């Protein structure tokens, strides 16, 4: 039986309040106790005889209280109060009061990490590109926040898409027509990336840390209040992915170089990581998010380091060579 003068037990949850209970004890102190108490009072000392009687009376009243609560099927008693009464010179009374309750142990909650995954695919024909998705465990489910690049000047208000997760053990989770809405512009986002409100996903929280990839296939979206249902024409995010006009195979001498080669040749004419980053952002906006998000993020990190460590051009080129 757990007892407390407070109103709760650490690590336990009160499931039911039963009844107010009490235990009483009336105990005679006897002639010697009174005589000893009077003598102690005269001498200014403690009376061990009275203290012993009082302690026994308190223990007995508490036992009576616990017995009363047990008879009700209680697991604990809260808000315990001890009251003392003197009936005469040689008789004292002690009462113990409290509320009998039913309790249960609170299971230790496991904490699972948040996981942010870069989206593997995109539709080059659409003005919006899914960039990444953040999965956060919440209780026995999860929530998902989608980050997109939107070149429609903030016209996209909602998206419905199929989301496919794959774990490191190749377990597969698919959610059809998952809605994302309330997109907000990320502060200081040069590329005008936006994040959605968190939406619930019936994904086991213990699997979040195991997720290795996500695919987002846009089924429809709302643009200026008009619902658009696009054709599915998704491709994988790759370093050599390019807009259609850059994939010309006509050998007339005017065909543009593949994206990865053209990109490398252009950036090698630059002098700093900052220049490369600004070029990446401008190129990505012009060509509807064709540059892989992780490449832009890495270049941005290099550009920011230049403020502290000086020119990071060589390191930036090396990182780009690793990605492309």
């Amino acid at each position: 039986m757990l007892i407390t003068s407070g109103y709760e037990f650490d690590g336990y949850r009160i499931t039911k309040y039963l009844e107010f209970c009490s235990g009483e004890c009336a105990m005679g102190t006897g002639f010697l106790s009174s005589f000893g108490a009077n003598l102690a009072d005269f001498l200014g000392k403690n009376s061990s005889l009275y203290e012993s009687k009082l302690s026994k009376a308190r223990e007995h009243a508490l036992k009576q209280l616990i017995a009363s609560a047990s008879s009700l099927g209680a697991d604990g008693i809260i808000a315990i109060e001890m009251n003392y009464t003197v009936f005469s010179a040689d008789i004292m009374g002690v009462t113990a009061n409290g509320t009998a309750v039913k309790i249960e142990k609170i299971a230790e909650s496991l904490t699972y990490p948040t996981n942010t995954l870069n989206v593997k695919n995109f539709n080059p024909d659409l003005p919006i590109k899914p960039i990444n998705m953040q999965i956060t465990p919440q209780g026995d489910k999860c929530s998902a926040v989608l980050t997109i690049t939107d070149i429609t000047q903030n016209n996209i208000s909602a998206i419905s898409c199929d989301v496919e997760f794959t774990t490191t053990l190749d377990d597969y989770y698919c959610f059809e027509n998952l809605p994302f809405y309330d997109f907000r512009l990320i502060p200081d986002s040069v590329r005008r990336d936006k994040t959605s409100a968190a939406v619930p996903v019936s994904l086991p929280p213990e699997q979040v840390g195991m997720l290795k990839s996500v695919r987002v296939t846009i089924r429809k979206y709302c643009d200026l209040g008009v619902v658009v249902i696009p054709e599915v024409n998704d491709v994988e995010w790759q370093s050599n992915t390019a807009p259609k006009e850059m994939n010309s195979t006509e050998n007339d001498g005017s065909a543009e170089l593949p994206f990865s080669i053209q990109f490398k040749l252009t950036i090698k004419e630059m002098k700093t990581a900052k220049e490369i980053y600004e070029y990446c952002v401008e190129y990505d906006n012009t060509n509807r998010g064709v540059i892989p998000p992780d490449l832009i993020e890495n270049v941005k990190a290099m550009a920011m380091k230049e403020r502290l460590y000086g020119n990071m051009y060589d390191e930036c080129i090396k990182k780009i060579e690793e990605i492309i």
Side-chain angles (χ1 to χ4, degrees):
M1 176 76 69
L2 297 180
I3 62 175
T4 179
S5 59
Y7 296 91
E8 60 184 4
F9 301 102
D10 287 342
Y12 291 84
R13 180 188 301 109
I14 296 176
T15 59
K16 187 177 182 180
Y17 294 86
L18 298 176
E19 287 184 18
F20 176 81
C21 296
S22 64
E24 301 84 16
C25 177
M27 183 172 291
T29 61
F31 168 75
L32 291 178
S33 297
S34 299
F35 177 79
N38 291 331
L39 181 62
D41 181 59
F42 176 77
L43 298 175
K45 297 181 179 180
N46 293 332
S47 171
S48 59
L49 292 174
Y50 255 130
E51 287 177 355
S52 177
K53 290 285 186 178
L54 191 61
S55 177
K56 290 181 180 179
R58 183 171 60 248
E59 290 178 6
H60 185 78
L62 198 55
K63 288 180 180 180
Q64 292 292 324
L65 172 64
I66 293 173
S68 177
S70 296
S71 67
L72 298 173
D75 304 310
I77 307 172
I78 61 173
I80 290 180
E81 291 183 348
M82 304 295 294
N83 297 303
Y84 303 89
T85 303
V86 177
F87 297 108
S88 67
D90 297 324
I91 299 177
M92 67 174 66
V94 179
T95 60
N97 305 313
T99 301
V101 295
K102 296 285 290 183
I103 59 175
E104 65 180 11
K105 192 172 181 62
I106 299 175
E108 294 184 6
S109 58
L110 299 175
T111 57
Y112 299 101
T114 295
N115 197 348
T116 301
L117 304 166
N118 288 332
V119 177
K120 293 184 61 176
N121 62 304
F122 73 101
N123 188 336
D125 298 331
L126 299 185
I128 46 178
K129 303 289 185 293
I131 301 299
N132 62 55
M133 184 174 293
Q134 183 182 79
I135 310 299
T136 303
Q138 293 183 338
D140 59 350
K141 295 184 179 180
C142 299
S143 66
V145 174
L146 179 64
T147 300
I148 65 170
T149 291
D150 176 12
I151 63 171
T152 65
Q153 302 300 318
N154 297 322
N155 295 336
I156 304 299
S157 58
I159 297 173
S160 178
C161 51
D162 296 344
V163 179
E164 305 166 46
F165 295 103
T166 305
T167 71
T168 54
L169 297 177
D170 289 332
D171 292 322
Y172 179 76
Y173 297 91
C174 180
F175 304 94
E176 296 183 351
N177 300 314
L178 199 62
F180 291 94
Y181 51 90
D182 193 20
F183 285 92
R184 304 290 180 89
L185 187 67
I186 299 176
D188 302 323
S189 174
V190 179
R191 199 173 55 183
R192 301 186 66 79
D193 291 351
K194 298 192 296 184
T195 57
S196 72
V199 300
V201 181
S202 299
L203 186 70
E206 65 271 15
Q207 291 289 342
V208 172
M210 297 281 287
L211 298 177
K212 69 174 181 179
S213 65
V214 60
R215 291 178 58 88
V216 177
T217 303
I218 297 176
R219 294 300 181 182
K220 55 185 175 180
Y221 61 92
C222 185
D223 184 358
L224 286 176
V226 178
V227 177
V228 180
I229 303 178
E231 292 185 8
V232 176
N233 184 29
D234 283 11
V235 296
E236 298 289 314
W237 275 114
Q238 293 178 355
S239 301
N240 60 353
T241 301
K244 292 181 177 179
E245 61 269 24
M246 292 182 62
N247 291 331
S248 173
T249 57
E250 296 179 8
N251 189 17
D252 59 0
S254 62
E256 297 188 49
L257 294 172
F259 165 68
S260 60
I261 300 176
Q262 182 192 40
F263 180 75
K264 291 178 184 179
L265 290 176
T266 303
I267 64 176
K268 285 184 178 180
E269 298 297 322
M270 299 176 182
K271 304 297 183 183
T272 65
K274 181 181 178 182
E275 289 183 44
I276 296 175
Y277 172 65
E278 291 173 348
Y279 170 73
C280 287
V281 172
E282 180 181 358
Y283 188 92
D284 197 53
N285 286 334
T286 303
N287 295 280
R288 294 189 174 185
V290 69
I291 300 180
D294 58 335
L295 189 150
I296 293 181
E297 291 301 320
N298 277 279
V299 173
K300 181 180 179 181
M302 293 291 178
M304 295 179 67
K305 286 182 179 180
E306 282 188 328
R307 301 175 184 176
L308 297 174
Y309 305 110
N311 194 301
M312 298 290 291
Y313 172 82
D314 292 337
E315 290 81 356
C316 188
I317 293 295
K318 183 178 178 181
K319 176 59 70 174
I320 292 172
E321 291 285 354
E322 293 176 0
I323 297 175
I324 301 181

